[in-house]
Amino acid sequence: QVQLVESGGGLVQAGGSLRLSCAASDGTFSRYDMGWYRQAPGKEREFVAAISWSGGRSKYADSVKGRFTISRDNAKNTAYLQMNSLKPEDTAVYFCAATREPYSRARTADYDYWGQGTQVTVSS
């Protein structure tokens, strides 16, 4: 079973940047496609970005396209989410998740393992 631990969240002003990290517990990390999701208070968990096992392909929610970048380093068993030009509406708990399904068609229910989340708060 893969354990995922997110880090890098915090409080930032609008227009600022943060980089989230997601560290996996073991060397099977490269077998999984990875995703980032977020959940704001009172709202459902929503997709943010996903990346293939090799790191060569990715996709984004329209709301973050052009501002966020997902990446991974399989040698370090870590995935990243670089967030630029942050907006107050980006405030949420951010989760990373791992799936055996191809990232391009994985739905939320297809993700097998989830981290505990890291809080991102963007002030106006």
Side-chain angles (χ1 to χ4, degrees), residues 10-119:
L11 173 64
V12 63
Q13 289 188 335
S17 299
L18 283 174
R19 188 175 83 152
L20 306 183
S21 298
C22 172
S25 60
D26 62 31
T28 63
F29 176 74
S30 62
R31 300 179 187 176
Y32 297 91
D33 288 5
M34 297 296 295
W36 285 95
Y37 281 73
R38 66 187 181 186
Q39 188 166 19
K43 295 187 177 181
E44 293 187 354
R45 191 169 298 190
E46 66 172 357
F47 169 79
V48 175
I51 191 167
S52 64
W53 66 271
S54 68
R57 297 182 179 182
S58 58
K59 69 172 185 178
Y60 299 89
D62 288 343
S63 59
V64 307
K65 202 171 293 183
R67 300 188 298 122
F68 290 12
T69 302
I70 188 172
S71 63
R72 66 190 295 162
D73 186 338
N74 288 341
K76 295 182 179 180
N77 296 332
T78 303
Y80 304 96
L81 185 68
Q82 177 67 45
M83 306 186 295
N84 299 330
S85 303
L86 282 162
K87 305 175 182 180
E89 51 263 43
D90 294 318
T91 295
V93 177
Y94 283 71
F95 301 88
C96 67
T99 180
R100 295 181 180 89
E101 290 292 319
Y103 81 99
S104 57
R105 63 169 185 257
R107 302 162 298 173
T108 305
D110 293 322
Y111 282 84
D112 303 293
Y113 304 105
W114 292 82
Q116 83 290 348
T118 185
Q119 176 70 48

